[in-house]
Amino acid sequence: MSAIFDVAVIGAGPGGYVAAIRCAQLGLNTVCIDEWKNPQGKPSLGGTCLNVGCIPSKALLESSENYERAAGKFAAHGIRIENLSFDVPTMIARKDKIVSAFTGGVAMLLKKNKVTSIHGRGILLSGGDGDTPWRIAVSDGDEKEMVEARHVIIATGSTPRQLPFAPVDNERILDSAGALALTDVPARMGVIGGGIIGLEMGSVWRRLGAEVTILEALPGFLAAADEQVAKEARKLLTRETGLVIQTGATITGISAGENSVAVEYATPENGAAKLEVDKLIIAVGRVPNTAGLGAENIGLKVDERGYIEVDDHCRTNLRNIYAIGDVVRGPMLAHKASEEGVAVAETIAGQDGHVNLGTIPSIIYTSPEIAWVGKTEQELKAAGVSYKAGQFPFMANGRARALGETGGFVKVLADAATDRILGVHMIGPYVSEMIAEAVVAMEFAASSEDIARIVHAHPSLSEVLHEAALGVEKRAIHI
Ligand code: FAD
Ligand code: NAI
């Protein structure tokens, strides 16, 4: 390939492919390099998110929740289903079909926007002196080619963190990708790590009948969430989904036999214990993909945990090299990666690209769903910020009652002096959709008074946010 590109993007996950499209929209001659292969060995764009992350997990969460509703909750509506059954291979095939529609869609979008797409591993080689372009070797098996570009966007994402004493074989010991590809329901499932993946994947297989035990190292549950939300989540996920959640668990040994996996652990309250399961999911966080990228060839700064060091504008220590998404600081979320991709493309094109990391929503797609944006109460307390809180339960909302989904609440935290919204925390039905209103409000620096004065349709779940905002000044109506 002889042309010098304006921009080379390494990685075609939601960070990289979105960056590449935005670059092309802005008139930049762009190449996108990605090495992902699907289980059939074919190149598959979209990175973790589309192949083994956001999209397939939500497909299985939806299928398993539908089954759970049909098996239990429908009865309260007077709907009886006899001989109800499910088959996992159909669920998996549906999930795979959704994945391939989207990964194929990314290929189409790149083509439509005239982004050159190259399959293979990108390795940073040299460049950057004076006007010399950056040089990237791309290797795909025996095939090698050289790409030259004036700007580079690194969007190489992340992979599951491994526990050295529990090697993943995706037979007995699974990572998140393995947990999305089971073809039958294990009777007993263990999960190491009570974070987002543990809860989402644990929910899928629990709803389909597995006995699921989650072992979390930290003494608290869902440390990143607001403490009150985390407490409610633990209660509802235990009582309604039937997850067994053990916090403060130190794993002392894991051994995989032919038919089962034995996990030895200890807790402060009960001492040593043993868990025997058919499948064990390891979900203890993710690590940035910087190994094998060639950072050392060009002097790119990578911190001791493997993250590429960037400033507020995703600029690395090297001229014209940017890094975005999971491979840099901040939450490992697809929408954060994409927004950074857009911002960097605009910066390269001479515009003022920027991402506000303070208004990135987080969502956990369990039942009930959990969503938040901004600061938690514990963060505000630790920072010494005075705030007021308004809270309203789904139990008192007409739409939630009609749905039969009455667990949870919405909480609005506002600055005590200015009333500016500092955080919104939700647990309940469809809060993954409701959180968008709170994000808009915070992005526009709204006060709780602003939400309190906006007309919310009746009956709708959004009234719970309205009432929580009214509650900041103790004037909620329906409680
Ligand atoms: P990635 O999506 O990881 O993409 C990086 C790409 O770069 C990959 O294709 C990789 O093969 C390629 N690559 C790496 N190194 C090289 C190289 N040297 N040369 C060429 N190519 C390379 N986030 C959400 O926001 N919502 C969710 O619901 C959600 N659910 C998730 C569920 C699961 C089970 C998992 C595992 C993750 C989930 N995430 C979710 C997180 C989300 O997937 C990531 O935050 C997101 O994919 C990060 O995007 P990225 O572009 O930075 O990296
Ligand atoms: P996580 O960081 O959410 O949770 C990992 C958990 O494992 C933590 O609670 C941690 O304390 C625990 N842990 C670590 N080491 C342990 C050990 N040795 N024993 C027991 N527990 C241990 O990471 P997770 O769940 O792997 O997900 C990775 C990331 O992927 C998430 O942080 C999130 O950014 C993204 N993701 C987002 C989703 C969404 O947006 N809905 C869904 C799934 C993943």
Side-chain angles (χ1 to χ4, degrees), residues 102-338:
F102 275 103
T103 54
V106 172
M108 215 180 61
L109 286 173
L110 291 183
K111 195 164 167 205
K112 183 181 137 201
N113 284 282
K114 301 195 171 45
V115 173
T116 303
S117 183
I118 308 182
H119 185 263
R121 162 160 290 228
I123 302 162
L124 297 157
L125 276 192
S126 60
D129 311 319
D131 275 348
T132 5
W134 293 102
R135 299 177 78 226
I136 302 163
V138 184
S139 64
D140 182 15
D142 291 339
E143 289 182 32
K144 291 206 175 8
E145 63 181 293
M146 197 62 70
V147 167
E148 292 190 312
R150 289 183 189 88
H151 302 86
V152 179
I153 304 175
I154 302 169
T156 48
S158 64
T159 35
R161 186 161 82 81
Q162 307 271 344
L163 291 178
F165 50 90
V168 167
D169 58 8
N170 277 329
E171 290 291 332
R172 294 266 152 228
I173 303 184
L174 319 171
D175 58 15
S176 51
L180 288 164
L182 291 176
T183 47
D184 53 21
V185 183
R188 302 162 303 170
M189 174 174 267
V191 184
I192 310 289
I196 311 189
I197 292 180
L199 294 177
E200 289 189 356
M201 287 296 95
S203 294
V204 166
W205 296 107
R206 170 68 209 115
R207 289 166 183 166
L208 297 178
E211 239 174 59
V212 177
T213 304
I214 297 179
L215 299 176
E216 163 60 41
L218 293 177
F221 177 61
L222 274 184
D226 183 88
E227 272 168 10
Q228 201 185 347
V229 168
K231 198 167 158 214
E232 181 81 354
R234 185 169 186 167
K235 185 181 87 190
L236 294 175
L237 292 173
T238 302
R239 192 177 71 199
E240 288 175 21
T241 308
L243 294 174
V244 175
I245 300 167
Q246 176 66 64
T247 49
T250 304
I251 311 297
T252 51
I254 294 178
S255 53
E258 206 162 300
N259 297 313
S260 65
V261 186
V263 183
E264 288 173 60
Y265 65 97
T267 59
E269 63 272 25
N270 298 324
K274 194 170 170 181
L275 177 72
E276 185 92 13
V277 293
D278 305 300
K279 304 275 180 192
L280 181 70
I281 302 175
I282 309 288
V284 293
R286 297 177 60 83
V287 290
N289 285 331
T290 38
L293 177 65
E296 62 291 350
N297 296 336
I298 56 167
L300 179 69
K301 264 199 192 160
V302 174
D303 74 16
E304 67 287 353
R305 292 183 306 151
Y307 290 93
I308 296 176
E309 289 185 13
V310 289
D311 67 9
D312 287 351
H313 296 275
C314 295
R315 286 183 293 230
T316 67
N317 65 311
L318 299 173
R319 196 174 53 88
N320 294 346
I321 301 198
Y322 300 79
I324 60 171
D326 281 11
V327 80
V328 302
R329 84 285 174 268
M332 286 183 160
L333 296 171
H335 39 287
K336 178 260 193 185
S338 298

Side-chain angles (χ1 to χ4, degrees), residues 4 9 29 59 65-66 87 152 154 160 167 194 216 235 283 317 346:
I4 298 176
V9 182
N29 183 19
E65 191 164 8
N66 279 340
D87 79 284
V152 179
I154 302 169
E216 163 60 41
K235 185 181 87 190
N317 65 311
E346 292 176 354

